[in-house]
Amino acid sequence: MDIWAPVQSAAAIAAAGIAAVAAWQARTTATKMTAIESQRRKSELSPRLRVTCEPFNPGSDGVLRLRVALIGPPGLDRLDRLTVAVRNDHHRRGEGEFRQHMDGPTQEEIKQHVWGPYRFTPHTGPDDAQADGMGRQVVYNKSLPLGEELPYQLEHTQPGHWMRSLTQQSWLRERGPVIRLAFNAEHQDHGSWYLPCEIDTAAMPVTVQVPQQ
């Protein structure tokens, strides 16, 4: 009988355990490094957009053309989907505790209303893409190659039906000249990016680079 057999067996089990732990650590490290590299690559490929806002036609009153071009980076050949949305003056409009007063607006009406000076003209947009009925956003589901642009149409917003004391002129004066937009750019291999921007329409035409500094 080999008196060392139990010791050798225990040593073998310990060695196997150490090897298993080492293999697990190696896999974990590799997974983390892959995730880090993927995130670094995604950051490098963050889209750069050129956004231009101008009167739709000479002398047009309250109707604007918005042009959105993909201008970089060179390693990003295209976008597979681009959603453009109008942001409210405050990101929590219609959120939190709410109690309707008399014949005032419902919480859903407050959420749906566009709280800014401009919205997309409903049912307009590039190619087959169309703005929703509220003029809140346009989803472009086709490929946008590097160096190409998409045209959109904007129009003045109106005060809510419950704002009986506000005229159109008063509403727009209260809203100010700044359009707040959000771009959600997507690529099937690299993921998605959220890119907010603000455009001051006090003097047009105006062009901004996104991301903004």
Side-chain angles (χ1 to χ4, degrees), residues 51-123:
V51 183
T52 300
C53 195
E54 59 195 1
F56 199 88
N57 290 306
S60 61
D61 183 23
V63 181
L64 305 179
R65 177 186 290 108
L66 184 76
R67 295 187 286 117
V68 180
L70 177 63
I71 60 173
L76 186 68
D77 62 334
R78 72 186 191 282
L79 293 176
D80 294 312
R81 178 185 172 103
L82 181 65
T83 301
V84 190
V86 180
R87 294 185 290 149
N88 289 331
D89 56 349
H90 187 273
H91 69 286
R92 286 185 56 80
R93 277 284 188 181
E95 301 295 336
E97 294 184 6
F98 177 82
R99 179 179 299 175
Q100 186 177 12
H101 296 281
M102 302 294 287
D103 58 348
T106 66
Q107 188 171 25
E108 190 59 30
E109 286 176 325
I110 294 175
K111 287 181 179 181
Q112 288 186 353
H113 194 74
V114 178
W115 296 83
Y118 288 92
R119 67 174 186 170
F120 293 108
T121 301
H123 313 300

Side-chain angles (χ1 to χ4, degrees), residues 15 24 27 34 51-52 105 112 114 139-140 168 171-172 190 196-197 204:
W24 174 81
R27 288 194 300 270
T34 299
V51 183
T52 300
Q112 288 186 353
V114 178
V139 181
Y140 187 76
Q168 172 73 357
W171 162 260
L172 293 176
H190 305 300
C197 85
M204 288 187 291

